[in-house]
């Protein structure tokens, strides 16, 4: 496979360690300035580690308190799982030379970056149906899984056609010389989806603001049901599309600069991308942890009770059938029943 400009290829891939602490080869950016490459890798690993902890925190809380029984919480759980897997791909070692490990990291990044994006799109679609049409969307859960896991798998396999994965700056992906592949596989659809999300998010915010004002000072059963829907299905999800949009700004700027000047790596833009690209899990965890319903549960007593409920065997109340009665036992236990009134009646008739 052809390497990106300025990359020193190496045929020795077996010596690369997934979570190594030393660079896998000469710095392919910044005119070979190894210090800058070390800074970029260190920032990427640090931020990805924090996001890993954040994702595990969200998944643990949802599991521990059985919050997955709510469809909205399951959507947050699916997004957290996708972000966790995406974070692991960012933690895969240093600047890998072209080879099997590099291709594997590029495949994982494409797969799980797409998965995170599509789960955010599903949450946005879910919010649209909840707010504008006031309908529940539980019936779309299977469709969400097909779209958010199936489509990324197909798209992540496409660059293997023609061997278009390789070193691409701070991590392995599609090299700079394959700009058309970058925009066809990722940035073209990303621009369209982000633009659509901005429009939809604006409509959601305007519609929500109008409905809240219209509901003020009124009491109506339908209005109360809509308020309950707002509280249960909309509030927990509103922040996540906005977080994704905010964290996508610097990576987009950096990749546009890459497309214009493939051989010119701007250190500040690379650092900003390394700070924001793996940050999704950590920011999601902060927002999730600040949610009032979550804060109420995160007390020592509540956590202790939840752990006991999870790991202690529940007390079972069972019914046991009585021992079978044999004919001999039954005959031995039979006693003649005397009916005094019946005997007196028989005597009077006689």
């Amino acid at each position: 496979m052809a390497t990106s400009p300025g990359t020193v290829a190496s045929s020795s891939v077996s010596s690369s360690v997934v979570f190594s602490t030393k660079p896998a080869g000469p710095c392919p950016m910044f005119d070979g300035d190894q210090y800058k490459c070390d800074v970029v890798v260190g920032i990427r690993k640090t931020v990805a580690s924090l996001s890993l902890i954040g994702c595990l925190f969200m998944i643990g809380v949802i599991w521990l308190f059985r919050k997955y029984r709510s469809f909205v919480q399951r959507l947050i759980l699916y997004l957290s799982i996708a972000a966790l897997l995406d974070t692991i791909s960012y933690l895969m070692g240093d600047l890998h030379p072209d080879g099997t490990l590099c291709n594997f990291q590029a495949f994982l990044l494409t797969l799980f970056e797409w998965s995170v994006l599509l789960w955010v799109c599903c949450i946005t679609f879910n919010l649209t149906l909840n707010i504008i049409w006031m309908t529940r969307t539980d019936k779309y859960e299977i469709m969400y899984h097909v779209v958010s896991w199936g489509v990324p798998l197909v798209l992540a396999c496409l660059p293997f056609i023609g061997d278009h994965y390789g070193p691409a700056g701070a991590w392995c992906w599609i090299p700079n010389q394959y700009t058309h592949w970058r925009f066809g596989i990722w940035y073209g659809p990303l621009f369209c989806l982000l633009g659509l999300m901005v429009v939809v998010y604006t409509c959601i915010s305007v519609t929500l603001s109008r409905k809240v004002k219209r509901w003020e000072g009124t009491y109506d059963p339908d209005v109360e049901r809509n308020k309950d829907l707002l509280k249960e299905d909309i509030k927990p999800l509103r922040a996540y599309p906005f977080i994704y949009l905010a964290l996508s700004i610097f990576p987009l700027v950096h990749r546009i600069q890459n497309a214009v000047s493939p051989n010119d790596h701007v250190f500040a833009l690379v650092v900003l991308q390394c700070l924001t690209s793996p940050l999704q899990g950590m920011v999601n965890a902060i927002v999730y942890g600040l949610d009032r319903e979550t804060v109420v549960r995160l007390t020592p007593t509540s956590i202790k009770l939840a752990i006991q409920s999870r790991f202690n065997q529940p007390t079972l109340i069972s019914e046991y059938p009585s021992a079978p009665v044999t004919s001999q036992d039954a005959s031995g236990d039979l006693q003649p029943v005397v009916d005094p009134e019946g005997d007196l009646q028989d005597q009077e008739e006689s």
Side-chain angles (χ1 to χ4, degrees):
M1 179 196 297
T3 59
S4 59
T7 302
V8 179
S10 172
S11 59
S12 176
V13 182
S14 59
S15 61
S16 300
V17 181
V18 175
F19 294 102
S20 59
T21 57
K22 295 182 179 180
C27 179
M29 304 178 292
F30 317 122
D31 297 325
D33 189 335
Q34 190 63 51
Y35 172 76
K36 290 184 177 180
C37 278
D38 292 343
V39 170
V40 166
V41 172
I43 292 173
R44 187 191 72 193
K45 285 185 174 183
T46 302
V47 176
S49 299
L50 293 174
S51 286
L52 181 69
I53 295 171
C55 293
L56 291 174
F57 163 76
M58 294 178 67
I59 294 171
V61 170
I62 293 172
W63 173 80
L64 182 62
F65 294 102
R66 293 182 169 90
K67 299 179 75 170
Y68 50 79
R69 293 171 178 171
S70 165
F71 176 59
V72 170
Q73 294 294 324
R74 289 201 300 275
L75 288 178
I76 298 174
L77 174 63
Y78 303 147
L79 175 62
S80 301
I81 292 172
L84 173 69
L85 297 173
D86 188 38
T87 299
I88 291 174
S89 62
Y90 280 110
L91 283 170
M92 288 184 60
D94 299 286
L95 303 176
H96 299 294
D98 192 7
T100 304
L101 183 59
C102 183
N103 291 347
F104 182 62
Q105 183 190 31
F107 169 77
L108 291 183
L109 277 172
T110 305
L111 173 62
F112 296 124
E113 284 282 345
W114 260 112
S115 186
V116 170
L117 172 60
L118 290 178
W119 276 117
V120 171
C121 290
C122 288
I123 289 175
T124 305
F125 175 74
N126 203 78
L127 287 170
T128 305
L129 294 181
N130 289 157
I131 295 175
I132 298 178
W133 285 284
M134 285 296 174
T135 58
R136 293 191 176 272
T137 55
D138 309 52
K139 58 185 178 182
Y140 298 119
E141 185 170 2
I142 295 177
M143 183 191 73
Y144 289 167
H145 279 288
V146 173
V147 171
S148 299
W149 300 114
V151 173
L153 180 61
V154 173
L155 292 173
C157 290
L158 291 179
F160 284 118
I161 302 173
D163 206 10
H164 289 99
Y165 280 138
W171 44 73
C172 292
W173 190 49
I174 299 173
N176 292 338
Q177 64 264 34
Y178 301 126
T179 304
H180 57 289
W181 271 90
R182 285 185 169 190
F183 280 86
I185 289 292
W186 178 242
Y187 287 107
L190 179 64
F191 282 135
C192 295
L193 290 174
L194 288 182
L196 182 61
M197 275 197 286
V198 169
V199 173
V200 171
Y201 203 80
T202 303
C203 293
I204 287 173
S205 300
V206 172
T207 303
L208 185 59
S209 177
R210 289 176 179 175
K211 288 189 176 184
V212 169
K213 288 181 180 179
R214 191 166 62 246
W215 291 340
E216 289 178 355
T218 62
Y219 178 81
D220 183 89
D222 293 333
V223 171
E224 295 304 316
R225 280 194 296 270
N226 290 337
K227 287 182 179 179
D228 291 338
L229 179 66
L230 173 66
K231 182 179 179 181
E232 295 175 6
D233 292 357
I234 297 172
K235 264 191 169 183
L237 295 177
R238 280 192 304 179
Y240 299 104
F242 178 76
I243 292 171
Y244 189 88
L245 289 171
L247 294 179
S248 299
I249 295 174
F250 290 120
L252 284 174
V253 172
H254 179 226
R255 290 309 184 183
I256 291 173
Q257 184 272 330
N258 271 167
V260 175
S261 302
N263 298 323
D264 184 18
H265 294 279
V266 180
F267 180 67
L269 289 178
V270 176
V271 168
L272 288 172
Q273 183 177 13
C274 290
L275 279 171
T276 54
S277 288
L279 199 60
Q280 179 87 29
M282 188 180 75
V283 179
N284 286 352
I286 293 173
V287 171
Y288 191 77
L290 293 177
D291 180 68
R292 182 178 300 176
E293 195 271 340
T294 303
V295 171
V296 170
R297 289 176 179 266
L298 293 179
T299 62
T301 303
S302 297
I303 295 174
K304 181 179 179 180
L305 291 175
I307 293 175
Q308 290 175 349
S309 173
R310 268 291 178 185
F311 295 102
N312 290 349
Q313 292 293 333
T315 303
L316 299 177
I317 301 176
S318 304
E319 295 183 359
Y320 296 93
S322 58
V325 181
T326 62
S327 58
Q328 294 179 354
D329 295 334
S331 61
D333 293 337
L334 289 177
Q335 298 292 334
V337 178
V338 179
D339 185 3
E341 297 182 358
D343 294 342
L344 180 60
Q345 184 179 1
D346 293 338
Q347 293 176 4
E348 292 176 354
E349 290 180 356
S350 60

